[in-house]
Amino acid sequence: MPADEALADLADLILNVGRLVRARTPEGPHVVALTETERQVMRVVDLYPGAAPSEIARRTQLQRTNVSTALRSLEDKEMISRTAVAGRGIAVRPTRRAADNLRVLRAAWAQELATILGDDLDAARRCAEVLSRLERGFTSDEGS
C-alpha cells in the first residue's frame, strides 16, 4: 500500500474511532455535557494551562469569536477560570470541576477500550504514542 493511502486510512480511522468513542461517552449528572467546540477548547486548556484565548484559537484552529463564545460557556459551566496577567492578557486554566469531569470520562473510556483490547496494553501504548505525536504536531506553534 502506498504511503499516502496508509496515511489517509489512518486519518479516516482516527476520525471514525473518535466518533465511536464519543458515542459511548457517559452522560448524566456526573458528566458535564460539552459541545464539540467546547471539547476542542478544553483539550487545549488541559494541554496548555494558562494559555491566552488567542493561543487557544491558534492551537484549535477555531475562529477567535467561536473560542470566546466557548470560553464564556465553559466559565458558566465552571470548567475554566480566567485570570488577568501582566498587561491586558488573560490566562485560561481548567478548574477542579474540569479535572473531576475528565477523570470520570477517562475511566469510562478506559473501560470501553479494555473491553475491546483486553490485555494488549503494549498496542494501546504504541497507538497512544503515535496519536500524541500527531496531536502535538497539529497543536504546536510550528504547525500553525
Side-chain angles (χ1 to χ4, degrees):
M1 174 184 302
D4 59 341
E5 281 186 46
L7 294 171
D9 285 349
L10 176 61
D12 188 40
L13 285 166
I14 289 168
L15 291 169
N16 196 45
V17 170
R19 183 188 60 78
L20 293 167
V21 169
R22 187 165 299 121
R24 292 179 182 232
T25 294
E27 296 178 355
H30 301 297
V31 176
V32 178
L34 301 178
T35 67
E36 180 60 30
T37 300
E38 290 169 344
R39 277 192 288 274
Q40 289 177 313
V41 168
M42 275 309 306
R43 180 65 180 168
V44 170
V45 170
D46 285 331
L47 288 173
Y48 305 97
S54 58
E55 180 182 353
I56 294 167
R58 187 178 70 253
R59 289 184 186 279
T60 58
Q61 298 181 11
L62 294 169
Q63 290 184 3
R64 178 67 199 269
T65 55
N66 294 341
V67 170
S68 293
T69 300
L71 289 173
R72 278 192 299 277
S73 178
L74 289 165
E75 198 167 35
D76 290 344
K77 294 176 181 181
E78 300 176 354
M79 297 292 285
I80 63 154
S81 65
R82 293 192 267 191
T83 54
V85 292
R88 296 182 58 198
I90 299 291
V92 181
R93 290 187 173 74
T95 63
R96 172 63 147 223
R97 185 172 194 201
D100 292 344
N101 193 61
L102 187 56
R103 197 174 302 104
V104 169
L105 293 173
R106 289 175 59 86
W109 296 333
Q111 186 175 359
E112 288 289 339
L113 293 184
T115 301
I116 297 167
L117 295 176
D119 293 338
D120 197 359
L121 290 179
D122 287 338
R125 287 183 180 112
R126 286 191 309 274
C127 186
E129 193 175 298
V130 169
L131 293 173
S132 291
R133 186 171 150 203
L134 287 169
E135 181 179 51
R136 283 190 309 273
F138 281 119
T139 62
S140 74
D141 288 329
E142 292 80 37
S144 50

